């Protein structure tokens, strides 16, 4: 058990760089999926391992051992280190839960503020009437219409001269654009911008981002996958926009012009969004739209995929192994206790 | 040219485009102006229908100009001020990437230069929109 239970903590340090390499060689949609499933799987394995360590220690508490009819002498003989490890493991687990709650709190607050900004802005569809007062027939019809129009994301314009645009998830998801941004782009590029934001909402990119945010609080090595995921999601939406407007160059210009317009009106400093060292995400997006067929490093991609698959396989096997190990040791400890009482 | 025929696109998509054109313009637009601004992609009757629908929702205001209506997006103050305040608060968030997928992230000086090169753009040219 002692080795199997540690693997899920160590593997992410190798798996994260492999996942990044693989993602860079894939189509943005596949890249986003690879990054998200990798982070979620590794975070889940880490959580299970922390749980196993904590439970193994919990069994050493005399009361718990008595309730479970476990032989304490056998347990302490089988894995003497369990008691020492259980405390830190439980603390780490609690810390992860606390951080996850904090992330959830921040996300809810952020969404609420963004929604309030839109609700108070110039453009809102007819205010929602209180549903309870409406006859059932009307409610049903409205629900049906909502279902049909699920991919119909209304545009909310903020009367603000600074250029900004984002997708606001919800029901319905909204495309939020400032008047400043709309004025900075000619009509075809505005269409590309709207198509880009619509793609974010239709493909539910906020769920990918949220999954990565929660995984990152569980294992620090997974934090490095958040920025690449954000980049590939933008690329994914760029590709959707290019397809929707039928023009890659127009889409590229829309991204570039929007970024320049946003840079003209600097927003307040954001300490955690440090500028990228080399070429930042926006120029890379523009370049990818302008030259859609970069040299595909087939061999490198295969190597990265193989490394990542190996990492995930090791994690899965180790987690399974550690779980069955704990289960077996509980059963043996019970049998041992039974044996002790009978003899 | 869009791959999807205009008639088959969801109505919200067309509404968004028309609304965006109204916001981008600096004066009221007639259906014909909107059609021109959007590059003649949509039938004028379609645009007129969309504008009428937006007007019904209170999203746009209209004034009669000759035989047609001219439309402007409505700003419901003081709600607009509230929006501005909310946005300022949003800007204060340190890391906004958790939920909101923004169209563009911040640029470094190098990024800006690289971008202008990629776009073949002269420093600080502003595109002026259609009518």
């Amino acid at each position: 058990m002692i080795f199997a239970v540690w693997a899920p903590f160590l593997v992410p340090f190798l798996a994260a760089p492999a996942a990044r390499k693989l993602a860079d060689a894939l189509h943005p949609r596949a890249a986003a999926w690879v990054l998200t499933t990798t982070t979620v799987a590794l975070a889940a394995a880490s959580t299970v391992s922390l749980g196993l360590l904590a439970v193994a220690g919990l069994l050493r508490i005399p009361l718990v051992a008595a309730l479970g009819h476990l032989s304490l002498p056998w347990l302490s003989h089988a894995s003497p280190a369990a008691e020492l490890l259980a405390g830190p493991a439980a603390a780490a687990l609690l810390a992860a839960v606390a951080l996850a709650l904090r992330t959830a709190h921040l996300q809810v607050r952020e969404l609420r503020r963004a929604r309030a900004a839109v609700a108070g802005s110039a453009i809102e569809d007819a205010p929602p009437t209180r549903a309870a007062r409406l006859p059932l027939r009307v409610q049903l019809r409205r629900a049906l219409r909502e279902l049909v129009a699920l991919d119909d994301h209304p545009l909310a314009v903020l009367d603000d001269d600074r250029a900004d645009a984002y997708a606001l998830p919800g029901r319905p998801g909204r495309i939020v654009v400032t008047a400043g941004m709309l004025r900075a782009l000619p009509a075809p590029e505005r269409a590309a911008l709207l198509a880009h934001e619509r793609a974010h909402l239709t493909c539910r990119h906020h769920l990918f981002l949220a999954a990565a945010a929660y995984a990152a609080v569980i294992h620090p090595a997974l934090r490095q996958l958040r920025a690449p995921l954000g980049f590939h999601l933008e690329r994914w939406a760029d590709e959707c926009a290019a397809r929707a407007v039928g023009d890659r160059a127009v889409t590229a210009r829309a991204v570039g012009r929007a970024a320049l317009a946003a840079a003209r009106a600097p927003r307040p400093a954001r300490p955690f969004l440090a500028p990228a060292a080399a070429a930042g995400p926006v120029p890379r997006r523009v370049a990818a739209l302008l030259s859609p067929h970069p040299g595909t490093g087939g061999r490198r991609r295969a190597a990265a995929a193989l490394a990542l698959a190996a990492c995930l396989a090791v994690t899965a096997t180790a987690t399974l192994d550690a779980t069955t190990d704990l289960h077996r040791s509980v059963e043996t400890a019970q049998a041992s206790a039974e044996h002790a009482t009978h003899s | 040219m869009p791959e999807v025929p205009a008639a088959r696109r969801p109505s919200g998509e067309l509404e968004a485009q028309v609304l965006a054109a109204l916001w981008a313009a600096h004066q009221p637009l007639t259906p014909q102006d909107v059609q021109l601004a959007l590059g003649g992609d949509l039938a004028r009757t379609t645009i007129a229908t969309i504008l009428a629908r937006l007007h019904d929702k209170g999203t746009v205001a209209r004034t009669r100009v000759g035989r047609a209506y001219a439309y402007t997006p409505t700003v419901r103050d003081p709600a607009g001020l509230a929006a501005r305040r909310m946005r300022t608060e949003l800007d204060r968030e340190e890391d906004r990437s958790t939920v909101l997928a923004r169209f563009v992230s911040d640029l470094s000086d190098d990024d800006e230069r690289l971008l202008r090169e990629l776009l073949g753009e002269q420093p600080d040219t502003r595109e002026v929109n259609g009518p």
Side-chain angles (χ1 to χ4, degrees), chain B residues 4-81:
Chain B
V4 190
R8 280 184 47 217
R9 275 185 277 173
S11 63
E13 202 174 320
L14 297 178
E15 268 184 39
Q17 286 209 27
V18 169
L19 188 57
L22 289 180
W23 271 97
H26 293 278
Q27 77 257 38
L29 300 185
T30 63
Q32 193 175 5
D33 295 334
V34 175
Q35 188 187 26
L36 274 174
L38 293 179
D41 215 30
L42 297 167
R44 204 197 308 176
T45 47
T46 312
I47 290 170
T49 312
I50 293 168
L51 285 168
R53 204 186 302 151
L54 288 172
H55 179 254
D56 286 345
K57 286 185 193 171
T59 311
V60 299
R62 65 183 182 191
T63 44
R64 197 170 263 289
V65 179
R67 285 171 53 213
Y69 282 114
Y71 294 83
T72 38
T74 48
V75 182
R76 287 188 214 135
D77 273 320
L81 285 174

Side-chain angles (χ1 to χ4, degrees), chain A residues 36-131:
Chain A
T36 309
T37 42
T38 302
T39 33
V40 168
L42 293 176
S46 289
T47 313
V48 169
S49 291
L50 282 179
L52 290 176
L53 284 172
V55 167
L58 204 66
L59 298 177
R60 299 301 175 75
I61 299 171
L63 183 67
V64 178
L67 282 174
H69 306 292
L70 304 168
S71 158
L72 262 183
W74 187 87
L75 276 176
S76 42
H77 176 74
S79 48
E83 266 168 283
L84 291 175
L85 294 171
L93 209 54
L94 283 178
V97 169
L99 282 172
L101 286 176
R102 184 172 163 271
T103 305
H105 170 74
L106 287 177
Q107 284 186 341
V108 166
R109 196 177 61 176
E110 187 182 351
L111 276 180
R112 199 175 290 155
R113 277 188 188 163
R115 291 216 182 96
V118 170
S121 84
I123 303 312
E124 253 286 270
D125 286 333
T129 335
R130 220 164 285 158

Side-chain angles (χ1 to χ4, degrees), chain A residues 110 113 120 164 183 185 280, chain B residues 79 93 96 98 102-103 111 129:
Chain A
E110 187 182 351
R113 277 188 188 163
D164 199 5
R183 286 180 195 130
L185 304 177
Chain B
E93 293 293 318
R96 293 183 298 175
T98 50
R102 307 193 91 79
F103 188 49
D111 283 355
N129 293 295

Side-chain angles (χ1 to χ4, degrees), chain A residues 119-182:
Chain A
S121 84
I123 303 312
E124 253 286 270
D125 286 333
T129 335
R130 220 164 285 158
R133 285 192 194 156
L134 293 169
L136 185 65
R137 191 167 43 88
V138 178
Q139 281 187 45
L140 278 177
R141 203 187 304 147
R142 192 167 285 187
L144 193 68
R145 206 188 310 144
E146 250 176 47
L147 206 64
V148 170
L150 211 58
D151 283 345
D152 211 14
H153 305 295
L155 167 68
V157 182
L158 298 180
D159 188 22
D160 194 321
D161 291 334
R162 294 175 296 177
D164 199 5
Y166 52 89
L168 181 58
R171 277 171 194 228
R174 283 171 195 287
I175 299 168
V176 184
V177 188
T178 60
M181 179 67 92
L182 291 173

